Amino acid sequence: MMKKLLAFFTSALILTAGSINAAAAGQGKGDVNSDGRINVTDIAVTAAHIKGIKAMSSSQQKLADADGSGRIDVSDIAVIAAHIKGLKSIGSGSGSSSNSDDRGSQLFDLTNRERTSAGLSAYKYSSSLTKAAQIRAKEIANTFSHTRPNGSRCFTVLDELGINYYSASENIAGGQSSASEAVSDFMGSQHHHDAIMSTQYTHMGTACYYDSSSRTYYWVQLFGTGDL
């Protein structure tokens, strides 16, 4: 199977109105208050529930169950904290390895492993960039390019989601059968390597999409700085 790689950068100052909302970001595990971001506020809400200070709603409890154990305890706080620090994304250790979401999480973890091995700080997880990466992963299965199927450049997906960002970079790949293979190919390409190892960006979102018609996995890394 032929493998493909492309990298695209923008360093221009780009500001968009509004902020990412929960609907656009996706209400995933760890986003306890459903604001589209996973941060210390989610830890505070979870801790208050565990201590009996303020009980969470049933929907919040589902989001707070970050380790998938079926109960809310300090282990969930530890998982959310590791996620915020960029040490391990939520859900990366669970589910089938064939699941695209799991592969996207593996891509996040392995990318940060390359950074920390080189003495760099890990990229922070961004739920908004992850949502954008998921959209882009499906798009590149149809049009493998930094130009979107509608003819606009790749970063317009950030504008559509109302994401405030100052600079961004996109790495895309297709044909790799695993996250480790995708990261290996990215690291072996100078432009992709530079984006992964950049000190310009602070946050990252990753995604994988499996196109059943071509039996091909597609991979996306989105890096950025701003209100992510």
Side-chain angles (χ1 to χ4, degrees):
M1 180 182 295
M2 182 175 68
K3 297 189 291 185
K4 300 173 282 189
L5 292 171
L6 279 178
F8 189 42
F9 307 83
T10 176
S11 57
L13 181 64
I14 303 172
L15 296 173
T16 59
S19 60
I20 186 69
N21 56 41
Q27 297 182 4
K29 293 282 189 179
D31 184 17
V32 183
N33 62 355
S34 299
D35 66 349
R37 299 180 176 85
I38 300 175
N39 53 33
V40 292
T41 301
D42 299 297
I43 290 179
V45 173
T46 304
H49 175 85
I50 294 172
K51 294 177 181 178
I53 298 173
K54 186 176 181 181
M56 294 186 290
S57 66
S58 58
S59 60
Q60 285 181 312
Q61 290 182 46
K62 290 179 181 179
L63 297 174
D65 184 19
D67 64 358
S69 66
R71 59 182 182 274
I72 311 301
D73 53 29
V74 292
S75 295
D76 298 299
I77 290 179
V79 171
I80 295 172
H83 184 94
I84 294 171
K85 294 176 182 179
L87 300 178
K88 187 174 184 180
S89 58
I90 294 174
S92 63
S94 63
S96 169
S97 62
S98 63
N99 182 275
S100 292
D101 289 340
D102 288 343
R103 288 173 183 260
S105 295
Q106 292 166 12
L107 182 63
F108 182 92
D109 293 338
L110 292 174
T111 301
N112 267 338
R113 185 180 299 176
E114 293 291 342
R115 285 180 62 83
T116 56
S117 295
L120 299 172
S121 59
Y123 279 125
K124 297 177 182 178
Y125 172 84
S126 167
S127 58
S128 55
L129 287 180
T130 298
K131 176 63 176 179
Q134 290 169 345
I135 293 173
R136 287 290 297 134
K138 291 181 180 179
E139 291 182 344
I140 64 172
N142 295 320
T143 305
F144 190 79
S145 170
H146 293 298
T147 299
R148 302 179 68 189
N150 64 6
S152 63
R153 66 176 186 162
C154 58
F155 302 116
T156 59
V157 68
L158 305 180
D159 302 328
E160 290 174 2
L161 292 177
I163 301 172
N164 289 315
Y165 70 103
Y166 300 102
S167 60
S169 175
E170 176 184 80
N171 281 350
I172 62 176
Q176 295 78 8
S177 61
S178 66
S180 60
E181 184 180 3
V183 171
S184 177
D185 284 355
F186 280 143
M187 292 298 290
S189 166
Q190 189 63 52
H191 289 301
H192 300 84
H193 174 279
D194 290 347
I196 290 173
M197 296 299 182
S198 175
T199 57
Q200 176 182 356
Y201 309 113
T202 56
H203 291 72
M204 176 175 63
T206 57
C208 172
Y209 175 73
Y210 180 70
D211 180 43
S212 58
S213 62
S214 63
R215 298 182 180 180
T216 301
Y217 285 100
Y218 290 90
W219 311 85
V220 175
Q221 297 170 321
L222 275 174
F223 313 97
T225 54
D227 185 13
L228 304 171

